[in-house]
Every structure is written in structure tokens, then in C-alpha cells.
Amino acid sequence: MKNRLLFLGPPGAGKGTQAARLSASHGMKHLSTGDLLRSEVAAGSDLGKEAEAVMNTGELVSDTLVLAIVKAQLGSLDGGGWLLDGFPRTVVQAEALAPLLDSLKQPLEAVVLLELDDAVLIERMLARGRADDTEDVIRHRLEVYREKTAPLIDYYRQQGLLLSVEAQGSVEAITERIEQALQGS
Ligand code: B4P
């Protein structure tokens, strides 16, 4: 199975949920920029304070800040496979990632796109109830996704890396769909 992966999809699609399951069952390293940013917030670092203010409005944290965090982590990626969850989220981030992976001689093998209707996304995020999960902020995050992150769908499709997976249904059923897509491609 392909094991150098990137998970793409709207907020609340289940990237974090599925990435945690797949990385645990296949021994891959799971790198979530959302989790890394929330750890900085919890630690009260300067970086965390800057990130928290942005995350609570539904905007994306700046490319410079995210890239600084990711670069510090990429060195730990090894041949055992890895899964990038929620990164890249902009074309600038994707264009910065490519040479970093080239220099590690670990090219990306597949981009898993989790697709889901807005109504279900909103319902899931309201149930999750994180600090950035109020209805107004969620709607703004969906707009930001369409404007800044959705262009990555074509970006990776043109590179022949995109695998689309329907993200509606039980957590287990979606994991199975992802595994089939990774085996079948
Ligand atoms: P993330 O932490 O990446 O989170 P997310 O997109 O909101 O959610 P995800 O898709 O992971 O959904 P989850 O599994 O939790 O981003 C948070 C914020 O961090 C961003 O808005 C941004 O500000 C910042 N950020 C992160 N990365 C960045 C970057 N690269 N650049 C700039 N800023 C960045 O699932 C959602 C809920 O649904 C959960 O409660 C889950 O339990 C539930 N669920 C999952 N699957 C389900 C299923 N099949 N059925 C029912 N419920 C399900």
C-alpha cells in the first residue's frame, strides 16, 4: 500500500480522525498541522498566541508560521511511511513542500481527498465543539477552504496523485474506502 500520503478536504471532513486510524494500523508517522498548532496554543508559546487568535476566527494561520513548524518536523519523516494531515492548505505551502520532500528523497505517493456535503460538515463540527467550532466561524472556514485550499485539488490531480474518497458514513467504512483506494491505485 502507498504510505507517503497527504490528506486533503474541507474542515470537519474527518482528516484527523482517519489519519490517526490509518497511521496507527500501518505504522506511519502522523503529522497534523492542526494538532501541532493546538499544542503551541496549549503551551502558551508566542507562536501559539499568534496562531490561536487566527484559528478562532476561522482564517488560516500564515504560511510563514506553518512552514516554520512543519520544517522542524519533516526531518523526522522516515522510510516507514508518513501521513501529512491538514498540510498543505495553500498553493504556497504545497510549492514549499515539494522541494523539501525532494531533498529527503521521499516523494509523495498519493493525495487522499475526503469529500463531504457542507450540511454534514457543519453538523459534525458543531458536535465536536472545539473553540473554533461556532457556526459563524465554521461558515467562514468553509469559505476559506474554497478560496485557498480547494485549488490544491487540481494542483494534485494534474500531478496524477489525487484519490477522491466519499467521506459520508461510519468512521470504519470510510477507513476501508481509503485503504481500498490506496491499494487499488
Ligand atoms: P485541523 O486541525 O486540520 O482540523 P479540521 O480541518 O477542522 O478537521 P478534520 O478534517 O481533521 O476533522 P476531524 O477528524 O476532527 O484545522 C484546524 C485549524 O488549524 C484550521 O482552521 C486553521 O486555522 C489551522 N491550520 C491547520 N493546518 C493549517 C495549515 N496547514 N495552514 C494554515 N492553517 C492551518 O472530524 C471532525 C468531527 O467529526 C470530529 O468530532 C469527529 O469525531 C467527527 N467525525 C469524523 N468522522 C466521522 C464520521 N464518519 N461520522 C461522524 N462523525 C465523524
Side-chain angles (χ1 to χ4, degrees), residues 9-19 32-38 51 54-63 66-67 70 85-90 93 114 116 120-121 123-130 132-133 137 141 144 167-174:
K15 299 180 294 293
T17 305
Q18 295 299 332
S32 155
T33 40
D35 287 349
L36 290 169
L37 289 166
R38 282 185 288 276
V54 177
M55 288 163 85
N56 285 344
T57 66
E59 283 294 325
L60 295 180
V61 173
S62 76
D63 290 331
V66 170
L67 284 167
V70 169
D85 159 14
F87 173 87
R89 255 178 162 94
T90 63
Q93 291 179 16
L114 296 179
L116 195 55
V120 185
L121 295 172
E123 202 179 296
R124 281 191 191 173
M125 283 188 275
L126 286 174
R128 182 175 60 183
R130 228 168 45 194
D132 55 344
D133 283 338
V137 172
R141 285 163 68 198
V144 171
Q168 173 104 37
S170 71
V171 169
E172 295 76 15
I174 297 161

Side-chain angles (χ1 to χ4, degrees), residues 54-123:
V54 177
M55 288 163 85
N56 285 344
T57 66
E59 283 294 325
L60 295 180
V61 173
S62 76
D63 290 331
T64 314
L65 201 155
V66 170
L67 284 167
I69 293 184
V70 169
K71 277 182 191 162
Q73 297 284 327
L74 279 184
S76 66
L77 300 184
D78 59 32
W82 40 261
L83 205 164
L84 304 181
D85 159 14
F87 173 87
R89 255 178 162 94
T90 63
V91 172
V92 169
Q93 291 179 16
E95 287 177 344
L97 175 66
L100 290 169
L101 294 179
D102 280 351
S103 70
L104 293 169
K105 297 198 172 24
Q106 294 195 51
L108 193 57
E109 290 184 306
V111 174
V112 176
L113 171 67
L114 296 179
E115 295 193 287
L116 195 55
D117 289 344
D118 281 7
V120 185
L121 295 172
I122 293 170
E123 202 179 296

